Amino acid sequence: MNRQQEQKQKKKELETIPYQLRYWDEFDYSILNNIMFRIPGGNRKDKETKKPVNDIIIMLDTETSKLKHNEYETLKSGIKKVIPVSNIVVCWSIALRAYGKNIVTLYGRKPSDICKCLEKIHNSMEGEITYVFVHNLAYDWVFIRKFLLRDFGTPKGQLNTKPHYPLTITFHNGIILRDSLILAQRSIEKWGNDLDVPNKKAVGMWDYNKIRTQFTPLDLLELLYIQGDVLCGVECIDYTMQQLKKTIVSLPFTATGIPRGEIRKRAKDNNGHKKFLTICPDYETHKKLEQCYHGGFTHGNRHFINTTMNNVQGFDFASSYPFCMLSEKFPMQKFRPYRNMEPEEVITLGDKFAFIVRLVAMNVCIKNDFCPMPPLQFSKCTRAINPVLDNGRILSAGFVEIWLTETDLKVIRENYTWTNAKCMDVEYSFKHYLPRWFTDYIYQCFVNKTRLKGGDPVAYALAKSTINALYGMTVQKPVKENLVEDYETGLYDIE
């Protein structure tokens, strides 16, 4: 019997076994002998990356409870502030799905039993590697890390986007935890609704105000709730794999990994790498660009705190990021150093040149006290003297120093006054539109998303995810620090 025939036979055997919801120690793990494995493809030379991976989708989730109800302290302003209360794991669940079929959802109460359950699952299959997805791994890792470290030992490797945000955690026994949130870019509830999977998150079946321990009995609604999260998760991953024509070994780690292959192919056909080398900034300039990056612009209005607003309207701009990538000009050469400039001079030349500047300004003050979103962020300032803040935004300051682009400088100049200001450490680059081969792909992705709306929910959700990932793919760090976790303290450092 060849491998393909063996796989068909094992699939048939699995199909005859009904889905189960079981306490973890009462499940017949021999059922998992029917799971085949896959060998990663590609030109991998490292033996570690060629190990057989069990062809199964597994998702782990924990449920926590407060040890007591929230307590509050009243500030001088009269506002009540919540006093943080410790949380503990009171139950957990693990769903297994393979070959388009949900096999079982296992559950337990003690976090220490998670390790025993994962080892039973892993040792019941032939492959050397088992992926276990966790939606928002950064959160669950806090609660289960000490048990996994005790039973599995110090991890063999860990990949992080930033401190306390692991993407993967690899153990010596072959179990690899993977974050699924960074792939989905949405909550498990929204992911399930967007892909219209059969088992969606059981909203409303878990009372978050109820105080529980590991010995508090679970009623049927609570069991269905913890089952719903992980079943929804494995189905979403399976639907995503099918739509992308990926397997457990080729599924990208992040949402930006979905369009990256197509972009790489188009770039190769259009000398994209050669053009990139003429634009790519050096290390020092790139560190300045990181300081210039301010992210999204959201803020609460300080004039309407603890107030119920009626007749509120919202306006949305369809596909704002893709529109800007198609319509706006971007720096299309290496940045070059230039002399110090006046802010108005930078703004005037901003249509033709991209700038990196270190703005220093004295006696900064917002022009209109009723401005709902002050744009100057205190957290992005390298220095600020006597700042008056509104939830992290500067209303006034005696002195401010901050790295900006010409676009940010224009926004800040429109909203603030100052007595003296200068743009220091100026670097500039000529602006031009993004390459046509890239903008054509962006437009194609937008057309795909628009045409699929109202049709196949899986295809539409992934088309939407792809076009959103195009922006994220262009703002990644090409120089990544190797973040290392101290497994005794939980703190991170750069290796």
Side-chain angles (χ1 to χ4, degrees):
M1 183 185 297
N2 61 33
R3 180 174 171 78
Q4 193 172 10
Q5 290 173 329
E6 184 183 2
Q7 190 170 15
K8 284 184 178 179
Q9 182 177 333
K10 289 188 173 184
K11 281 183 180 179
K12 285 184 179 179
E13 290 179 15
L14 271 179
E15 287 173 0
T16 62
I17 301 171
Y19 165 78
Q20 304 173 58
L21 171 63
R22 290 276 183 182
Y23 184 72
W24 75 274
D25 204 23
E26 299 172 356
F27 177 62
D28 179 8
Y29 288 87
S30 65
I31 291 172
L32 302 181
N33 295 336
N34 293 305
I35 302 299
M36 301 287 284
F37 58 80
R38 290 180 178 271
I39 305 293
N43 298 319
R44 295 178 172 88
K45 295 181 181 179
D46 184 3
K47 290 182 180 180
E48 288 295 316
T49 61
K50 296 290 285 186
K51 287 183 177 179
V53 179
N54 290 309
D55 193 14
I56 187 170
I57 304 169
I58 304 173
M59 180 162 280
L60 161 69
D61 187 37
T62 62
E63 296 300 336
T64 61
S65 175
K66 297 173 183 177
L67 294 173
K68 58 182 179 179
H69 290 292
N70 284 337
E71 296 179 357
Y72 301 87
E73 63 173 327
T74 304
L75 304 177
K76 291 180 179 179
S77 60
I79 297 175
K80 287 186 176 181
K81 181 182 177 182
V82 178
I83 301 174
V85 176
S86 297
N87 277 20
I88 59 167
V89 173
V90 294
C91 62
W92 53 267
S93 55
I94 298 175
L96 287 75
R97 179 180 175 90
Y99 314 126
K101 171 183 169 56
N102 293 327
I103 301 170
V104 65
T105 296
L106 305 168
Y107 70 93
R109 306 304 303 271
K110 299 179 180 179
S112 57
D113 289 338
I114 292 175
C115 309
K116 300 172 188 175
C117 182
L118 289 178
E119 281 194 316
K120 277 179 171 284
I121 293 169
H122 178 64
N123 295 333
S124 300
M125 299 180 287
E126 295 181 359
E128 295 182 46
I129 302 294
T130 300
Y131 288 123
V132 179
F133 291 90
V134 185
H135 208 71
N136 195 4
L137 176 58
Y139 178 81
D140 294 84
W141 177 239
V142 172
F143 294 97
I144 63 176
R145 64 188 303 279
K146 69 177 181 181
F147 304 101
L148 292 169
L149 295 176
R150 183 193 65 190
D151 290 5
F152 294 173
T154 302
K156 188 177 183 179
Q158 182 171 336
L159 175 65
N160 283 59
T161 55
K162 55 187 177 181
H164 307 292
Y165 201 108
L167 293 187
T168 64
I169 301 173
T170 305
F171 293 95
H172 289 274
N173 60 6
I175 293 174
I176 300 178
L177 303 182
R178 285 182 59 173
D179 181 55
S180 54
L181 176 60
I182 200 165
L183 172 65
Q185 293 292 309
R186 69 202 92 173
S187 67
I188 201 76
E189 179 185 355
K190 192 171 190 315
W191 200 15
N193 291 337
D194 287 348
L195 299 186
D196 196 22
V197 295
N199 288 283
K200 297 181 176 63
K201 183 179 176 69
V203 179
M205 291 187 181
W206 187 270
D207 182 1
Y208 285 96
N209 294 318
K210 181 178 176 180
I211 303 299
R212 299 177 178 84
T213 70
Q214 294 163 2
F215 304 100
T216 305
L218 296 175
D219 61 30
L220 180 59
L221 289 180
E222 291 170 328
L223 275 175
L224 291 176
Y225 177 86
I226 65 173
Q227 170 189 252
D229 274 8
V230 288
L231 276 185
C232 180
V234 294
E235 289 174 355
C236 285
I237 293 169
D238 196 8
Y239 279 35
T240 300
M241 285 167 47
Q242 292 176 38
Q243 189 66 34
L244 296 176
K245 296 181 173 56
K246 300 290 185 181
T247 65
I248 194 68
V249 297
S250 61
L251 183 69
F253 285 102
T254 68
T256 60
I258 296 173
R260 191 179 290 122
E262 181 63 25
I263 291 295
R264 189 180 291 115
K265 177 183 175 183
R266 292 179 180 235
K268 186 176 181 181
D269 294 340
N270 291 274
N271 295 317
H273 185 253
K274 183 178 179 181
K275 179 64 176 175
F276 170 76
L277 293 177
T278 68
I279 301 172
C280 181
D282 60 28
Y283 178 76
E284 292 302 324
T285 299
H286 192 273
K287 298 303 289 184
K288 294 175 184 177
L289 286 167
E290 287 181 29
Q291 294 188 77
C292 288
Y293 184 72
H294 288 199
F297 187 66
T298 57
H299 191 66
N301 192 323
R302 69 186 184 283
H303 299 295
F304 299 100
I305 297 174
N306 293 331
T307 302
T308 301
M309 304 297 296
N310 298 316
N311 301 320
V312 176
Q313 292 182 323
F315 298 90
D316 187 24
F317 189 96
S319 299
S320 182
Y321 280 150
F323 170 77
C324 290
M325 295 171 78
L326 291 174
S327 64
E328 302 301 317
K329 293 181 179 180
F330 295 84
M332 295 302 288
Q333 65 170 201
K334 287 186 183 294
F335 279 90
R336 302 173 183 176
Y338 195 58
R339 61 172 172 80
N340 295 341
M341 301 173 68
E342 300 295 330
E344 286 73 16
E345 189 179 2
V346 173
I347 293 169
T348 301
L349 295 172
D351 290 336
K352 191 173 183 178
F353 298 94
F355 287 96
I356 300 171
V357 304
R358 178 170 60 89
L359 175 70
V360 291
M362 296 180 65
N363 301 317
V364 177
C365 185
I366 197 162
K367 289 181 179 179
N368 183 354
D369 186 54
F370 291 97
C371 174
M373 291 189 182
L376 195 53
Q377 294 174 265
F378 176 71
S379 62
K380 296 298 295 186
C381 293
T382 53
R383 277 197 300 169
I385 298 175
N386 297 329
V388 177
L389 303 181
D390 166 32
N391 194 22
R393 303 283 176 155
I394 294 177
L395 300 177
S396 65
F399 177 84
V400 163
E401 180 183 82
I402 186 170
W403 287 91
L404 301 170
T405 65
E406 75 285 357
T407 304
D408 294 317
L409 179 60
K410 183 179 178 181
V411 173
I412 289 170
R413 190 69 182 103
E414 289 173 351
N415 288 275
Y416 289 86
T417 61
W418 46 61
T419 55
N420 294 294
K422 202 77 172 178
C423 292
M424 318 285 284
D425 298 327
V426 177
E427 294 189 31
Y428 75 95
S429 168
F430 280 102
K431 278 183 175 179
H432 207 283
Y433 295 107
L434 294 173
R436 185 61 181 265
W437 60 265
F438 184 46
T439 55
D440 282 349
Y441 180 62
I442 296 171
Y443 185 73
Q444 178 188 322
C445 290
F446 176 76
V447 171
N448 291 343
K449 186 197 82 165
T450 306
R451 287 178 176 171
L452 288 168
K453 191 170 186 178
D456 183 347
V458 181
Y460 172 71
L462 288 171
K464 186 176 180 181
S465 177
T466 299
I467 194 170
N468 290 338
L470 288 172
Y471 166 74
M473 191 182 66
T474 64
V475 292
Q476 297 182 78
K477 294 182 181 180
V479 180
K480 298 183 185 295
E481 298 94 349
N482 188 16
L483 292 167
V484 179
E485 179 179 353
D486 183 331
Y487 293 107
E488 291 186 4
T489 65
L491 300 176
Y492 286 79
D493 199 359
I494 297 175
E495 189 176 61

